Amino acid sequence: MLDKIKSNFNTQTWVLIPIAIAINLVVGQIVLTLKLPVFLDSIGTVLVAVLCGPWAGALTGALSNTIAGIALDPGWFPWWPVAAMIGYMAGRMAEWGFFKSWWKVVVTGFVIALTAVIVSTPIAVYLFGGITASGSSFITAYLLQTGQGIWQAVASTSFITEPVDKITTAMLAFAIILGLPKRTVGGYPKAANAEAEGADRNQLYIAIGVVVLLVLFAAFLLRNILGG
Amino acid sequence: MHERLSFYIKRDSVIHRLNPLTKLVLVFAFIGVAFTFPWYWMSLSLFLFVLIPLAFVAKVSREYFFTATRLILPAAGFLFLMQALFQPIGEEIIFQFYFLDATRESLAFAFTIAARIIVMISAFTLLLLTTHPSELMSDLTRRGLPGQFAYVIISTLQILPQMQAKAQTIIAAQRSRGLDTESTFLKRAGSVLPLVGPLVFGSLVEVEERAIAIEARGFTSKKEKTSLHEVPDTVTDKTIRWVLIILIILSISLNLWL
């Protein structure tokens, strides 16, 4: 077990982690200024998880929230288990070979999203009574008003918002890894996990199509919930 | 976008001189007691009668109130409003606003949650205002935290403002080439890659060089390392820490017992 954890960390991992955390936060800010309905604040975490392994990914996620708490807004602190589990799951999926082509990356993104829903729901319920300070809480609040149970309301809210965000995150991370020179990727402990089986153009278009469909589906659900 | 990266204010006060670990334990004591102590007004009393006086003792009251009005109160106020209006509990309606209603129970619940969040964020703010991150890290490293963790936290705090500046440069450069970052949804979504790509690739290329540089300075060496700054740890610090730990245990056991 300890050896497995240690195998995730070499000097290059330790150097990559701070940069990955900065990528998480700065890309998050860029996306915020673009006013897009996603967060994209875990690209760095997924990168570390794929290149270095699940434990390094989990550490990056947890530290990312801690440092965002120190440097940007203390409201980030309570969500560190979510970020850590995102990193861990991304690393595990990559170890199982699910980070080698576009459609596999979409599957990985979906699994990460499910993980995020499962971990964030208890935190939102126990710490905030279901209503957090984020914008999507309006949906939760509406669902609560319509008489749904608190667990159901919180989980369905994040189920609407998470998949689009996490699949896009995974795809961006894959695009970045594809764009890096082989020599740069080779220095990381789990470089083999990211070896693409051939980046098929058609698969990329299908993957983008899936994301667009998911956006439409989420919008449809939202309209049904808020309009109904 | 050049925001102040660490909250730290250099002053000379009793709180500043405390050992960083003592202050960290203090933060967890605040959170532990606020969340578990079985008395309704506990969080508010902690905030009014302990946290605010501590801010004065630490001579950071002005900065503390600045952070509180800018960060903590808006977040807590929003949370309070949402909770009060949206929690579907209680019968006795006090206030109505279209289909939303605030009952006595939902107001009480909203107040509890908001007060706890205020205590939690305030305690962290106080720690960050009075403790320099590298002081905290070097003390924790001396107590056995692996040096790599300290490296990650300190170097992230250095890299973050550099990368924010780089992001601003990239945004300006791409806009001047005609990249659309403000109009329709599709155009904005399409501009993610041209903005994120250069930023990420530019930073990832540095990794190997940095790794060689710190390796040359004995980063992974197993030999015991010495520290340039000694962080004092007095008997008072140890006593305070034990008292705080007992308080946390007491609060949790009262919560379970009652």
Side-chain angles (χ1 to χ4, degrees), chain A residues 11 29 35 70 128-129 141, chain B residues 7 83 86-87 164 188 215:
Chain A
T11 308
Q29 285 174 335
K35 300 196 190 68
I70 294 176
F128 298 96
Chain B
F7 288 87
Q83 299 282 357
F86 289 126
Q87 284 293 342
Q164 281 172 331
R188 279 180 285 138
E215 199 49 73

Side-chain angles (χ1 to χ4, degrees), chain B residues 66-115:
Chain B
F66 178 71
T67 322
T69 45
R70 202 179 53 115
L71 262 177
I72 307 172
L73 288 181
F78 181 67
L79 202 62
F80 177 81
L81 264 182
M82 297 277 284
Q83 299 282 357
L85 290 174
F86 289 126
Q87 284 293 342
I89 48 171
E91 300 294 320
E92 190 184 332
I93 291 171
I94 291 180
F95 175 77
Q96 209 158 19
F97 178 73
Y98 295 109
F99 68 97
L100 306 166
D101 45 37
T103 61
R104 180 189 287 274
E105 285 84 354
S106 72
L107 276 177
F109 185 77
F111 178 76
T112 316
I113 299 267

Side-chain angles (χ1 to χ4, degrees), chain A residues 11 14-16 18 29 34-37 59 63 70-71 74 127-129 131 137 141 145 172 176 183 188, chain B residues 1 7 35 79 82-83 85-87 121 148-149 151 155-156 164 185 188 192-193 201 204 207-208 215:
Chain A
T11 308
W14 287 113
V15 178
L16 179 64
Q29 285 174 335
L34 288 177
K35 300 196 190 68
L36 293 173
L59 181 74
L63 285 179
I70 294 176
L127 216 54
F128 298 96
I131 313 286
S137 289
Q145 281 293 323
L172 278 171
I176 290 165
R183 179 172 157 271
Y188 296 103
Chain B
M1 211 148 151
F7 288 87
F35 274 83
L79 202 62
M82 297 277 284
Q83 299 282 357
L85 290 174
F86 289 126
Q87 284 293 342
I121 304 182
Q148 284 93 334
F149 283 87
Y151 166 79
S155 77
T156 310
Q164 281 172 331
F185 174 76
R188 279 180 285 138
V192 169
L193 213 56
F201 288 123
L204 288 180
V207 170
E208 200 185 0
E215 199 49 73

Side-chain angles (χ1 to χ4, degrees), chain A residues 30-91:
Chain A
I30 292 180
V31 171
L32 207 65
T33 53
L34 288 177
K35 300 196 190 68
L36 293 173
V38 283
F39 308 109
L40 299 188
D41 54 2
S42 40
I43 294 180
T45 309
V46 175
L47 270 179
V48 174
V50 173
L51 291 174
C52 309
W55 299 103
L59 181 74
T60 310
L63 285 179
S64 187
N65 275 44
T66 314
I67 286 170
I70 294 176
L72 304 175
D73 171 4
W76 282 76
F77 277 122
W79 304 100
W80 68 266
V82 185
M85 271 313 282
I86 289 173
Y88 181 82
M89 265 332 275

Side-chain angles (χ1 to χ4, degrees), chain B residues 208-241:
Chain B
E208 200 185 0
E209 257 174 62
R210 270 177 189 262
I212 295 170
I214 63 168
E215 199 49 73
R217 289 162 177 75
F219 183 65
T220 45
S221 155
K222 298 268 187 308
K223 282 249 171 79
E224 196 174 323
K225 284 155 189 156
T226 52
S227 175
L228 186 58
H229 301 285
E230 282 297 325
V231 183
D233 192 14
T234 59
V235 184
T236 333
D237 276 303
K238 289 197 182 90
T239 332
I240 295 176
R241 284 203 293 270

Side-chain angles (χ1 to χ4, degrees), chain A residues 122-205:
Chain A
I123 298 179
V125 169
Y126 283 121
L127 216 54
F128 298 96
I131 313 286
T132 61
S134 102
S136 62
S137 289
F138 280 104
I139 310 172
T140 318
Y142 192 85
L143 288 174
L144 281 176
Q145 281 293 323
T146 60
Q148 281 208 38
I150 184 159
W151 289 88
Q152 227 180 333
V154 175
S156 22
T157 307
S158 36
F159 201 77
I160 294 173
T161 52
E162 290 289 349
V164 176
D165 183 42
K166 294 304 177 303
I167 292 176
T168 317
T169 301
M171 284 174 63
L172 278 171
F174 188 58
I176 290 165
I177 292 172
L178 282 183
L180 282 174
K182 278 251 155 48
R183 179 172 157 271
T184 316
V185 177
Y188 296 103
K190 308 276 167 159
N193 287 344
E195 246 168 48
E197 290 164 341
D200 192 350
R201 278 266 145 187
N202 290 333
Q203 272 197 28
L204 170 61
Y205 295 136

Side-chain angles (χ1 to χ4, degrees), chain B residues 34-241:
Chain B
F35 274 83
T36 59
F37 199 83
W39 180 46
Y40 186 73
W41 300 103
M42 193 63 197
S43 305
L44 185 69
S45 323
L46 276 181
F47 176 64
L48 289 180
F49 305 121
V50 187
L51 273 167
I52 292 182
L54 271 182
F56 277 101
V57 172
K59 297 180 187 161
V60 290
S61 50
R62 204 159 52 87
E63 290 81 3
Y64 173 73
F65 285 120
F66 178 71
T67 322
T69 45
R70 202 179 53 115
L71 262 177
I72 307 172
L73 288 181
F78 181 67
L79 202 62
F80 177 81
L81 264 182
M82 297 277 284
Q83 299 282 357
L85 290 174
F86 289 126
Q87 284 293 342
I89 48 171
E91 300 294 320
E92 190 184 332
I93 291 171
I94 291 180
F95 175 77
Q96 209 158 19
F97 178 73
Y98 295 109
F99 68 97
L100 306 166
D101 45 37
T103 61
R104 180 189 287 274
E105 285 84 354
S106 72
L107 276 177
F109 185 77
F111 178 76
T112 316
I113 299 267
R116 281 175 182 171
I117 298 296
I118 289 182
V119 170
M120 183 169 89
I121 304 182
S122 298
F124 269 114
T125 311
L126 206 60
L127 167 77
L128 298 175
L129 282 172
T130 58
T131 315
H132 195 279
S134 54
E135 198 186 340
L136 177 66
M137 282 304 133
S138 66
D139 190 53
L140 291 181
T141 312
R142 194 175 56 84
R143 289 172 202 277
L145 181 85
Q148 284 93 334
F149 283 87
Y151 166 79
V152 168
I153 293 188
I154 298 297
S155 77
T156 310
L157 290 177
Q158 281 171 1
I159 291 173
L160 200 52
Q162 293 170 11
M163 213 188 263
Q164 281 172 331
K166 212 192 266 175
Q168 287 309 307
T169 317
I170 293 172
I171 291 177
Q174 298 287 45
R175 268 189 191 146
S176 73
R177 294 184 188 115
L179 186 78
D180 194 344
T181 57
E182 272 149 5
S183 69
T184 61
F185 174 76
L186 279 181
K187 291 233 170 99
R188 279 180 285 138
S191 60
V192 169
L193 213 56
L195 293 180
V196 171
L199 181 76
V200 173
F201 288 123
S203 350
L204 288 180
V205 175
E206 292 169 15
V207 170
E208 200 185 0
E209 257 174 62
R210 270 177 189 262
I212 295 170
I214 63 168
E215 199 49 73
R217 289 162 177 75
F219 183 65
T220 45
S221 155
K222 298 268 187 308
K223 282 249 171 79
E224 196 174 323
K225 284 155 189 156
T226 52
S227 175
L228 186 58
H229 301 285
E230 282 297 325
V231 183
D233 192 14
T234 59
V235 184
T236 333
D237 276 303
K238 289 197 182 90
T239 332
I240 295 176
R241 284 203 293 270

